[in-house]
Amino acid sequence: MVDLIMKDILGTPAILVGLFALIGLLVQKKNSGDVVSGTLKTVMGFVILGAGANVLVQSLGNFSSMFDEAFAVEGVIPNNEAIVALAQESFGTETAMIMLFGMVVNIILARLSPFKYIFLTGHHTMFMACLISVILTTGGFSGAGMILLGSVILGAIMVLFPAMLQPYTRKVTGSDDFAVGHFGSVGYLVAASIGRVVGKNSRSTEEIKVPKSLSFLRDTSVSVSLTMVILFFVVAGAAGPGFVESELSGGQNFLVFSFMQGLTFAAGVYIILAGVRMLLGEIVPAFKGIADKIVPNAKPALDCPAIFPFAGNAVIIGFLFSFAAGLISMLFLPLLGLKVIVPGLVPHFFTGAAAGVFGNATGGRKGAIFGSMANGVMISFLPALLLPVLGSLGFQGTTFGDGDFGVVGIVLRNLINLVESNVIVVGIILALLALPFALSIKKHGRDKQKDTSAA
């Protein structure tokens, strides 16, 4: 029964999001037809999103194989799913318990504090729970105390990170209906901040004027297709027809295979966007029940593709320039004595695209370019700095890919290493987490006092 609840239900992101939609609809006392329809469509939207991601991963896997063969690069490819799978053998129970109680802490903090965000990206919740359990356990923590501390850390950052991004998320979406709940938040924040600095008078990526003969490029699906087909042709040519046809395509001509893989990538993006639209169309109204009854004024914090439809051109620009920055970073990592981090297409696509959208919102085209490049540098250096911590545990082949994992893991591990007493470590961690809540509550109180005085 515990495995059923922890792994099969709460460990399945689509079901987890569907449960929140179900609770919201029930709290609103919707009729049975609306409850069934809203819940199933929410789950279906997440399943469609996941299906699109799987299509992308398959296409990008082939691209990575060609890239490795073409440029003979040996290094570590960050992959969240891979390292979590490795860690589950030794830290599975701790991960599951921290994930469950972390979600409870998230709801409690959203109820009691001015930060009204419920983190609904289930797979990232699990990834962060895994990272926290690994760091705390190897740092000498154990038992119920470790689970409690890990849950507080997880629940707090599930509230704080979406809150940190929300001013920029509102700028992207033009509304306050939802937040971004994805552990690449540090990269998005940096991208938005850089956009503000470099993007004065820079026009939006969505205002790029295209000649009539090239007007078809305004269609996101077409522009993505062409971009990826060209990239596949270049990398396949560098890898060599023999490698592609013998190792990847099953004998199919390497140009035909590359063409179809570029289109497969574009199809994956299209599927993701369709899933996002369905998910947002159902979960935002359903979430009103939680907002009104359980956590007043709560907002769902959703996966980063939720903002992709708001700036389609920035998505492509962000991915390309984040990946380019990752390639450049490969040259500098060995000079600093760090392991080479081979740019992973999946983290660079999702976090780079989101960084491009945030950078564009504050700084137009320049913001999208330089903001996504900053993200690309961060998700190259942060995994390299995190790797020694995880390498000592036997995870030398991979590491976590997105920025927040690196920040949380490095800070937490160094804090444990610097302070000998675990009791003092707990006190410092709780104080650091409590500070933003205390400041926000104090500011919230002042704002309410001003409103009362004005009335």
Side-chain angles (χ1 to χ4, degrees):
M1 181 59 70
V2 174
D3 282 348
L4 172 65
I5 295 174
M6 298 300 300
K7 295 182 180 179
D8 296 334
I9 297 178
L10 297 180
T12 303
I15 295 178
L16 179 63
V17 175
L19 285 174
F20 274 96
L22 174 63
I23 292 170
L25 292 167
L26 290 174
V27 169
Q28 292 182 86
K29 298 181 180 179
K30 294 287 187 180
N31 63 55
S32 58
D34 289 340
V35 171
V36 172
S37 175
T39 302
L40 289 181
K41 283 187 175 180
T42 300
V43 176
M44 194 185 309
F46 208 97
V47 170
I48 291 172
L49 195 159
N54 288 335
V55 173
L56 275 183
V57 168
Q58 178 185 359
S59 175
L60 292 177
N62 288 322
F63 186 91
S64 295
S65 297
M66 294 181 196
F67 187 89
D68 293 345
E69 174 67 20
F71 303 105
V73 174
E74 292 185 5
V76 174
I77 302 178
N79 187 288
N80 296 330
E81 289 81 4
I83 194 164
V84 169
L86 290 172
Q88 288 307 295
E89 296 181 10
S90 302
F91 304 94
T93 302
E94 293 85 352
T95 296
M97 297 299 289
I98 289 176
M99 179 180 175
L100 172 61
F101 291 109
M103 290 188 293
V104 174
V105 172
N106 178 188
I107 294 172
I108 292 172
L109 292 176
R111 177 69 177 86
L112 298 178
S113 79
F115 300 136
K116 306 297 182 181
Y117 303 100
I118 307 295
F119 198 99
L120 294 182
T121 310
H123 60 296
H124 263 228
T125 303
M126 182 177 69
F127 297 161
M128 187 61 80
C130 178
L131 172 70
I132 293 170
S133 68
V134 169
I135 300 295
L136 291 181
T137 301
T138 56
F141 292 86
S142 62
M146 187 273 290
I147 301 241
L148 179 59
L149 177 61
S151 301
V152 170
I153 295 172
L154 178 61
I157 63 177
M158 288 167 72
V159 173
L160 291 174
F161 284 17
M164 174 181 70
L165 277 177
Q166 193 60 13
Y168 298 116
T169 304
R170 284 195 295 267
K171 197 168 182 64
V172 168
T173 64
S175 71
D176 205 23
D177 292 337
F178 69 91
V180 172
H182 185 268
F183 287 130
S185 304
V186 174
Y188 311 150
L189 182 66
V190 170
S193 301
I194 288 176
R196 292 179 62 182
V197 174
V198 305
K200 187 177 180 180
N201 299 325
S202 180
R203 302 178 71 178
S204 170
T205 57
E206 309 314 295
E207 297 177 10
I208 294 176
K209 291 185 177 180
V210 180
K212 287 185 178 180
S213 60
L214 299 176
S215 60
F216 61 90
L217 292 176
R218 291 185 179 275
D219 187 318
T220 301
S221 299
V222 174
S223 58
V224 171
S225 298
L226 287 176
T227 301
M228 293 310 299
V229 165
I230 292 170
L231 284 176
F232 267 100
F233 278 166
V234 171
V235 176
F243 172 79
V244 175
E245 293 172 10
S246 63
E247 300 295 330
L248 300 176
S249 72
Q252 186 179 40
N253 180 273
F254 79 106
L255 291 177
V256 175
F257 177 76
S258 300
F259 178 76
M260 291 308 299
Q261 288 301 305
L263 295 184
T264 299
F265 181 96
V269 173
Y270 184 87
I271 295 169
I272 285 175
L273 295 179
V276 167
R277 293 188 185 99
M278 178 177 285
L279 177 64
L280 292 181
E282 298 300 327
I283 198 169
V284 172
F287 204 81
K288 188 175 182 298
I290 297 177
D292 291 344
K293 303 293 182 180
I294 302 174
V295 182
N297 302 315
K299 296 177 181 64
L302 304 175
D303 202 351
C304 64
I307 62 168
F308 288 2
F310 294 95
N313 292 340
V315 168
I316 304 304
I317 291 172
F319 162 54
L320 293 176
F321 280 94
S322 179
F323 184 70
L327 293 176
I328 295 170
S329 297
M330 288 175 60
L331 303 176
F332 293 94
L333 286 165
L335 300 179
L336 298 174
L338 297 172
K339 192 80 172 179
V340 173
I341 300 296
V342 179
L345 269 293
V346 173
H348 278 284
F349 175 74
F350 286 104
T351 69
V357 174
F358 276 105
N360 176 67
T362 59
R365 301 169 193 176
K366 291 181 180 177
I369 291 171
F370 291 105
S372 58
M373 290 188 72
N375 176 80
V377 172
M378 291 178 68
I379 64 172
S380 297
F381 278 84
L382 285 172
L385 293 170
L386 179 63
L387 191 63
V389 175
L390 302 175
S392 64
L393 303 172
F395 304 147
Q396 293 92 341
T398 187
T399 183
F400 289 93
D402 302 337
D404 294 354
F405 297 109
V407 171
V408 172
I410 292 166
V411 169
L412 190 55
R413 185 65 189 187
N414 285 331
L415 182 59
I416 292 172
N417 289 342
L418 289 172
V419 182
E420 294 183 2
S421 170
N422 282 350
V423 174
I424 298 177
V425 169
V426 171
I428 294 173
I429 291 171
L430 294 180
L432 290 173
L433 294 175
L435 182 60
F437 288 102
L439 293 175
S440 178
I441 291 171
K442 185 177 180 180
K443 181 179 182 299
H444 188 66
R446 287 200 305 265
D447 293 342
K448 289 185 71 174
Q449 191 174 25
K450 288 181 182 177
D451 293 340
T452 304
S453 301

